[in-house]
Amino acid sequence: MNLRQTITSLPRDARDTLFLLFVIVWVIAPQVPNLPVWTSLLAAGLLLWRGWLALKGRPLPGRWTVAALLVVAVAGTLFTHRTILGRDAGVTLIVVLLALKMLELRARRDAMVVFFLGFFTMLSNFFFSQSLLTAAAMLVALLGLLMALVNAHMPVGRPPLAQTFRIAGAMALLGAPIMVALFMLFPRMSPLWGMPSENLTGRSGLSGNMKIGDMAEIALDERVAIRLRFEGAPTDVPPQSMLYFRGPVMTGFDGRQWQAEPFREDSAWAARAALPANLQTSGPAVRYEVTLEPQRQPWLMVLEATPEAPQLPNMQAYMTQDLQWMTTRPITDVLRYKAVSYPEFRHGPQQSVRQLRVYTELPPGFNPRTLELAAQMRADPALANARTDVLVNAVLQRLRTGGYTYSLDPGVYGEHTADEFWFSRKEGFCEHIASAFVVLMRAMDVPSRIVTGYQGGERNPVDGYWTVRNADAHAWAEVWMEGRGWVRVDPTGAVSPGRVGAFQRLRAPQGAFAAAMGSFSPGMVQNVRAVWEAVNNSWNQWVLNYTQSRQMDLLKALGFESPSWQDLTTVLGYLIITTALGAGAWSLWERSQHDPWLRLLARTRQRLARAGLKLPDNLPPRAMAERVRAQFGAPAAALADWLLRLERLRYAREPEAELGALRSEFRSLPWPKPAKH
């Protein structure tokens, strides 16, 4: 006997229990990456145990067993999270309670508790992710829980799942307009609206320090980091080679790792070494809107250079002296903002100042061959007293003609990273090249630093948005030049001009399936991804970014001149009242349409009661005909015959047409006269 036959032959309660278990597994499954390992294992064990009991028809465990498991669950939550409050601890506990409650599923009251726990657990998935895939999975979970709820209210017989699916689907469709109205009109009063994420682990890979070799790992991540929509004509969009999104700026170097500040114990360094931004822009402005994915970091990704603060909803931003735009708290949700940037700009001091010496420091004992190379270049008569731009061009020329290659996997570098790049390996990813370049420039006493961020982007032909991925993370250099300030120099472009000029970035090796699909239809994978990203972007723009300001715009479109959240509440209240009145009217109409045969029989009973013949509600038409003959005699023969035909109609295959005829005949029947008092 196969599994389907086994399930079909099970008793009704066992079949419904197995279906509910499947729905609960579907609800809990997306939470597994966010739960402690012991929680997932315990919940899986409890649900498998309950399924085995249902299949075998075994009795449920006693209350003491369940109580002992509850103590273990609470103790494990306290041990793992040090509390039972908060998002992570609360979700851990609710998942275990849901699984434990299945071991107490004895009566309808227990089933109701399971349903409510299931709905709450379903909603808790949105604490961790509000993506379109999560929403689609939870929509399936909603239908499953509604089907289980319908089954619980249909205890008689064995209704097929198709029938319960139709009922649950109708319930969901009826509730959809109310859900949309609440979503659009329920006041979003920040900071009460929403729940901030607690996990501040970096998602995009960019951080306040850069270890040589780390950014090559980021290049394997094809997830979207930034989406942009440029304003104006397509000709106003800067070329890909000018799309530099500025992130953390690295100054200190210990031989293996760069970080935002030098490796010093002097906490007053920042106050002494900080230089004014002195940002000067020129040329046409570029206006655009950014949708930034959660990166768990405070950096705002904007194009170089952005003099004015981006327009942020319910958040403040500030610019550091090295042109980094940052927020006052980590970005833990999808964030949309507008910005204005100027690709042509200058910044930093125009004349040499004492603080610039910080940008020429190198750790002692590292990269001796690079230091020797710098001394040799400085000893060259052509470079001895040369300006900084001449030194930069000389180093870039060495990169172009020295046999250096751009590689995603150059191997693990040792202690002297710059020496290995310049003299032995001669290959590397962007951070290897930028780091070796800055070390050589500093060795020649040129103030230099590293800037990390993103470079490039691709236009989605479906919705017109530009997409920047984590794989587009990039590192470049800035050198200080007399009279010009800090100047961007991208040494990767000297090694691989296509990376910056034509956006020919390195890609991770494809799997067997992706390679087969690419060889079968080269454009199909790109087209499918473009469509999916356009759909996902629409979800971000219209659902996740439906903010309070957009609610106010909706009220303005409805005629409110200066709307407020009180106006939102008023509109929502009127809508709820109108919906309630409409639902009440529909309920009365639906009740009047319920079983027209019974309605006609009830009207007959009422008509006979007015004539003095009161009959019980449970009396069938045949018995009513006998009472009519006994009470009124021969004049009521037509009425008695009509009642007999009404009874036969109850069991007819197609009663609709004959019922209309009987209803018409009802009005012309010779009804007995009401009794006189």
Side-chain angles (χ1 to χ4, degrees):
M1 182 180 296
N2 57 33
L3 181 60
R4 182 176 181 180
Q5 293 174 338
T6 302
I7 295 177
T8 305
S9 62
L10 289 173
R12 165 70 188 280
D13 59 341
R15 190 198 69 170
D16 290 352
T17 299
L18 291 176
F19 177 77
L20 181 57
L21 285 171
F22 175 79
V23 174
I24 291 174
V25 170
W26 182 272
V27 170
I28 294 177
Q31 297 279 32
V32 171
N34 308 311
L35 295 173
V37 176
W38 69 266
T39 305
S40 302
L41 295 177
L42 179 59
L46 293 174
L47 295 176
L48 287 173
W49 185 17
R50 185 63 181 89
W52 180 80
L53 294 176
L55 282 172
K56 299 297 182 181
R58 302 291 179 85
L60 297 180
R63 297 189 181 276
W64 286 108
T65 303
V66 177
L69 291 171
L70 177 60
V71 171
V72 171
V74 174
T77 304
L78 286 171
F79 178 79
T80 304
H81 302 287
R82 306 301 179 187
T83 181
I84 58 174
L85 303 177
R87 184 197 65 175
D88 293 343
V91 171
T92 297
L93 198 56
I94 199 69
V95 167
V96 179
L97 290 178
L98 177 59
L100 278 173
K101 192 60 185 176
M102 288 299 297
L103 295 177
E104 292 186 323
L105 192 59
R106 293 182 172 88
R108 179 176 293 184
R109 180 184 63 181
D110 299 322
M112 295 301 109
V113 175
V114 170
F115 294 142
F116 283 119
L117 286 174
F119 283 119
F120 189 84
T121 307
M122 180 190 73
L123 291 175
S124 69
N125 282 277
F126 294 104
F127 292 163
F128 300 95
S129 173
Q130 298 87 37
S131 68
L132 182 58
L133 285 177
T134 300
M138 291 307 102
L139 178 61
V140 175
L142 172 66
L143 290 175
L145 287 171
L146 288 177
M147 290 174 63
L149 187 61
V150 170
N151 279 334
H153 286 82
M154 299 173 64
V156 180
R158 295 174 62 88
L161 290 179
Q163 179 183 354
T164 56
F165 175 76
R166 286 193 296 269
I167 298 174
M171 293 170 60
L173 289 176
L174 289 174
I178 301 175
M179 177 195 68
V180 173
L182 288 173
F183 172 79
M184 298 183 68
L185 296 175
F186 194 89
R188 283 161 165 76
M189 296 173 290
S190 178
L192 299 180
W193 182 265
M195 183 172 182
S197 302
E198 296 176 0
N199 181 14
L200 301 182
T201 304
R203 176 183 182 271
S204 69
L206 296 181
S207 62
N209 55 68
M210 184 190 77
K211 188 175 181 180
I212 306 301
D214 284 353
M215 294 195 73
E217 299 178 3
I218 308 173
L220 303 177
D221 188 355
E222 288 286 336
R223 289 180 297 181
V224 175
I226 310 169
R227 289 185 175 90
L228 293 98
R229 181 174 61 85
F230 289 97
E231 299 180 5
T235 55
D236 297 334
V237 179
Q240 287 178 326
S241 59
M242 296 296 293
L243 297 181
Y244 281 85
F245 300 87
R246 194 179 189 89
V249 179
M250 310 295 178
T251 301
F253 183 54
D254 67 348
R256 282 286 300 169
Q257 179 173 297
W258 289 88
Q259 70 174 28
E261 295 182 2
F263 291 81
R264 296 185 177 185
E265 297 181 358
D266 186 359
S267 60
W269 173 88
R272 295 201 316 269
L275 297 171
N278 193 24
L279 176 60
Q280 305 172 27
T281 60
S282 60
V286 178
R287 303 179 184 274
Y288 55 97
E289 184 179 67
V290 179
T291 302
L292 182 63
E293 294 293 323
Q295 57 179 358
R296 312 295 195 261
Q297 299 289 355
W299 296 294
L300 283 178
M301 292 299 156
V302 291
L303 288 171
E304 293 183 326
T306 305
E308 301 295 332
Q311 303 174 17
L312 300 180
N314 307 316
M315 190 181 297
Q316 293 182 346
Y318 63 94
M319 186 177 69
T320 64
Q321 55 89 16
D322 49 17
L323 304 190
Q324 297 179 76
W325 277 104
M326 306 182 72
T327 59
T328 53
R329 63 177 185 269
I331 299 170
T332 56
D333 297 296
V334 175
L335 180 64
R336 188 172 66 173
Y337 50 91
K338 292 184 177 181
V340 180
S341 300
Y342 294 82
E344 299 178 16
F345 64 96
R346 287 185 177 186
H347 74 291
Q350 302 298 303
Q351 304 298 324
S352 179
V353 294
R354 177 177 55 85
Q355 291 92 332
L356 288 174
R357 300 305 305 169
V358 174
Y359 301 96
T360 62
E361 294 179 351
L362 289 172
F366 287 90
N367 303 302
R369 298 184 67 185
T370 303
L371 299 180
E372 183 181 351
L373 173 62
Q376 292 175 358
M377 295 182 68
R378 275 296 194 182
D380 187 340
L383 302 176
N385 298 311
R387 300 189 312 272
T388 300
D389 57 339
V390 177
L391 295 176
V392 169
N393 289 331
V395 176
L396 293 179
Q397 182 64 20
R398 183 182 183 90
L399 288 172
R400 295 188 190 99
T401 60
Y404 298 95
T405 58
Y406 182 53
S407 172
L408 189 63
D409 185 19
V412 179
Y413 272 57
E415 181 180 11
H416 304 291
T417 56
D419 284 358
E420 289 191 41
F421 175 79
W422 287 116
F423 301 103
S424 57
R425 295 180 183 270
K426 291 193 174 184
E427 63 175 349
F429 198 55
C430 59
E431 79 269 29
H432 301 90
I433 304 172
S435 177
F437 175 84
V438 171
V439 169
L440 181 56
M441 295 306 300
R442 287 191 175 190
M444 289 190 293
D445 206 31
V446 175
S448 311
R449 63 191 183 187
I450 287 182
V451 184
T452 59
Y454 298 95
Q455 197 283 320
E458 297 173 297
R459 184 181 181 276
N460 190 323
V462 178
D463 59 2
Y465 276 75
W466 283 73
T467 302
V468 180
R469 307 180 187 280
N470 288 331
D472 300 328
H474 193 52
W476 59 94
E478 281 187 336
V479 297
W480 184 83
M481 297 184 183
E482 185 84 21
R484 298 177 60 185
W486 290 106
V487 178
R488 181 203 306 142
V489 179
D490 194 344
T492 302
V495 177
S496 176
R499 167 60 181 90
V500 177
F503 195 55
Q504 298 171 354
R505 60 179 173 85
L506 299 174
R507 298 184 181 274
Q510 294 181 328
F513 178 76
M517 292 297 296
S519 60
F520 174 74
S521 179
M524 186 177 70
V525 176
Q526 288 79 2
N527 292 336
V528 170
R529 185 170 73 168
V531 171
W532 164 247
E533 289 182 350
V535 172
N536 198 44
N537 182 47
S538 299
W539 169 264
N540 289 338
Q541 301 299 328
W542 297 104
V543 178
L544 299 187
N545 281 298
Y546 186 73
T547 58
Q548 187 181 40
S549 61
R550 299 186 71 176
Q551 284 185 317
M552 297 300 110
D553 293 339
L554 175 63
L555 289 185
K556 289 180 181 178
L558 294 177
F560 291 85
E561 293 183 1
S562 56
S564 63
W565 69 267
Q566 291 89 345
D567 297 325
L568 275 174
T569 306
T570 302
V571 173
L572 185 60
Y574 280 122
L575 184 62
I576 291 175
I577 293 173
T578 304
T579 303
L581 292 175
W586 179 83
S587 179
L588 291 175
W589 176 84
E590 195 271 342
R591 184 180 298 178
S592 68
Q593 298 298 314
H594 181 68
D595 201 337
W597 187 89
L598 287 177
R599 285 203 318 275
L600 186 57
L601 185 62
R603 290 175 59 190
T604 304
R605 192 180 296 109
Q606 293 171 1
R607 192 70 178 266
L608 290 174
R610 290 201 298 267
L613 180 59
K614 293 184 178 181
L615 301 174
D617 292 344
N618 60 349
L619 203 64
R622 181 176 295 277
M624 292 173 61
E626 295 176 356
R627 296 282 187 91
V628 167
R629 287 194 184 98
Q631 179 80 12
F632 303 108
L639 176 58
D641 180 66
W642 184 87
L643 284 168
L644 293 176
R645 285 187 287 131
L646 181 64
E647 182 173 89
R648 288 195 300 270
L649 183 63
R650 186 61 169 174
Y651 304 100
R653 291 187 176 181
E654 298 180 358
E656 290 80 7
E658 297 184 30
L659 184 63
L662 286 178
R663 190 184 293 112
S664 301
E665 191 176 343
F666 174 86
R667 304 185 184 93
S668 59
L669 283 174
W671 292 96
K673 299 293 183 181
K676 294 182 180 180
H677 298 285

